[in-house]
Amino acid sequence: MNETKSEDKKPYIGFFPITYNLAETGRAVMIAKRYKEIGGKAIFFSHGGEYENLPKDHGFEVVKVKPFFNSDSVKKIISINRGEQKGFPYPTSVLREFVQNEIEAYKKTGIDMIISTQSPSCIISARAAHIPLITVTTGLGTFQISYPEKFENIFTRLLPQKVNIKILYLFYTKGKKFLKPFNEIAKECNIKPLKYTSELANGDVTLVTNFLEFINIFPHQQRYPSEDYIGIILLDELFSSNLTTEKTNTINKELQNHLESNEHSILLSMGSSGDKKLFLKILQTLNNTSYRVIAVYTNILNDSELPKLNKNIMLKKYVPSI
């Protein structure tokens, strides 16, 4: 924080979400709205993306920082993160440009602090600019009950599920995948290199947003201290201006009517970064059951891509969180 600022003045906070992801952008906007309500000042930074206008819609200035994401680069990043492609989500040359331009944007706006919702380049740029960094993450825990099918091989099939899950968790927390470009840029910026890939989620302070009732089902399995959990951040408020009370009530009534059955009910939601093929595959599987299903497709599917399904499945682009 600048020494010239009075002690009682709130810091000028820069928010840096990955604006191609609805959940991460939405969380940042919700935190910024609460901060603004208590007298704080906030500004947003963005490398572009489908949800870049969400902060603008709620009264925040958005500073665009080059290079910009496009649909192809976003698809590639998601594909590499899923293990579908080889390579680095952020190659060294691209990451260098991200970091250099981010530092320049911080200086130009005069912010005192950065809050990042999963924007990995901030891990380097905030520290290189000597600005405090708070990260907000969904937090990893050993919650898996089965080993992911896409990681199965001849060796994993010989081992018990519990062993495979422990190895998977160890690989994530102690793995070094994708780190080479980050540590090359860290060296150029004279800052401490990262030891593990999992550190890309950690700031000087790391806050974890998760459904606490779910976390408590698995005691002592969360990766972060319990005091770092801030609870789930619902996004309904961000879209209420686009829906009248009458429309919201209509949606709720439709959902209630659909779920009024003796059959078990299922909510299918993969967020804004879900895999289309997997989403459709799950839908077709559920279509062969009698379960009452509400499937939320956000931007995974276009309206023209919605499949014809049995009456037990209701497709919705958005539903109220409660």
Side-chain angles (χ1 to χ4, degrees), residues 279-280 297 301-309 315-316:
F279 189 82
L280 289 172
Y297 58 90
L301 302 175
N302 298 321
D303 288 343
S304 61
E305 297 175 312
L306 299 182
K308 291 183 178 181
L309 301 166
L315 285 167
K316 286 288 185 181

Side-chain angles (χ1 to χ4, degrees), residues 138-146 165 169 210-211 214-223 229:
T138 51
L140 179 77
T142 53
F143 310 129
Q144 293 88 349
I145 58 175
S146 64
I165 291 170
Y169 182 66
N210 248 332
F211 189 40
F214 175 76
I215 295 296
N216 291 334
I217 294 173
F218 303 90
H220 311 300
Q221 289 181 289
Q222 59 266 34
R223 181 174 155 225
Y229 281 81

Side-chain angles (χ1 to χ4, degrees), residues 17-18 20-29 51 54 117 138 233 235 238 271-273:
I18 46 173
Y20 59 78
N21 183 286
L22 173 59
E24 304 299 354
T25 306
R27 290 184 187 110
V29 174
Y51 302 100
L54 193 57
T117 52
T138 51
I233 299 178
L235 307 183
L238 301 182
S272 62
S273 57

Side-chain angles (χ1 to χ4, degrees), residues 102-320:
E102 287 169 12
I103 293 171
E104 185 63 30
Y106 303 157
K107 291 179 180 178
K108 189 173 181 179
T109 54
I111 58 165
D112 300 307
M113 181 185 299
I114 279 287
I115 294 182
S116 165
T117 52
Q118 300 294 297
S119 184
S121 52
C122 294
I123 299 296
I124 304 295
S125 62
R127 288 162 178 163
H130 306 291
I131 296 175
L133 172 67
I134 296 175
T135 56
V136 180
T137 178
T138 51
L140 179 77
T142 53
F143 310 129
Q144 293 88 349
I145 58 175
S146 64
Y147 192 74
E149 184 179 342
K150 68 178 181 181
F151 294 146
E152 288 279 17
N153 56 56
I154 190 173
F155 299 105
T156 61
R157 295 184 192 282
L158 297 174
L159 298 173
Q161 285 276 1
K162 289 183 178 180
V163 174
N164 286 332
I165 291 170
K166 287 182 179 180
I167 293 173
L168 179 67
Y169 182 66
L170 182 65
F171 175 78
Y172 179 82
T173 55
K174 301 299 182 182
K176 300 178 184 295
K177 192 175 183 181
F178 305 146
L179 276 191
K180 184 179 179 182
F182 286 93
N183 282 339
E184 287 179 357
I185 304 303
K187 184 177 181 181
E188 293 175 8
C189 295
N190 295 313
I191 63 175
K192 186 179 178 181
L194 302 173
K195 289 184 178 180
Y196 310 116
T197 304
S198 56
E199 292 179 12
L200 291 173
N202 296 345
D204 302 316
V205 174
T206 304
L207 302 178
V208 188
T209 172
N210 248 332
F211 189 40
L212 297 185
E213 285 79 357
F214 175 76
I215 295 296
N216 291 334
I217 294 173
F218 303 90
H220 311 300
Q221 289 181 289
Q222 59 266 34
R223 181 174 155 225
Y224 296 93
S226 58
E227 60 266 24
D228 292 342
Y229 281 81
I230 59 176
I232 193 169
I233 299 178
L234 303 179
L235 307 183
D236 296 47
E237 180 184 320
L238 301 182
F239 307 101
S240 58
S241 58
N242 298 326
L243 294 172
T244 63
T245 301
E246 183 180 357
K247 179 64 175 175
T248 301
N249 290 338
T250 299
I251 293 174
N252 284 332
K253 189 63 176 176
E254 289 175 351
L255 299 177
Q256 289 170 4
N257 290 340
H258 183 69
L259 295 176
E260 285 180 355
S261 168
N262 292 328
E263 298 293 342
H264 292 295
S265 57
I266 294 175
L267 172 67
L268 170 60
S269 176
M270 298 179 71
S272 62
S273 57
D275 180 85
K276 181 189 296 186
K277 290 182 179 179
L278 179 58
F279 189 82
L280 289 172
K281 186 176 181 180
I282 293 173
L283 278 179
Q284 293 302 329
T285 300
L286 293 172
N287 201 40
N288 295 320
T289 73
S290 59
Y291 295 127
R292 308 299 289 182
V293 179
I294 296 171
V296 188
Y297 58 90
T298 56
N299 67 339
I300 297 174
L301 302 175
N302 298 321
D303 288 343
S304 61
E305 297 175 312
L306 299 182
K308 291 183 178 181
L309 301 166
N310 295 327
K311 291 182 179 180
N312 65 305
I313 299 180
M314 175 180 283
L315 285 167
K316 286 288 185 181
K317 187 175 183 69
Y318 162 81
V319 296

Side-chain angles (χ1 to χ4, degrees), residues 1 4-12 35 39-41 112:
M1 187 182 296
T4 57
K5 294 183 180 291
S6 60
E7 291 183 5
D8 60 343
K9 189 172 183 180
K10 293 179 177 59
Y12 182 21
Y35 187 59
K41 183 181 178 184
D112 300 307

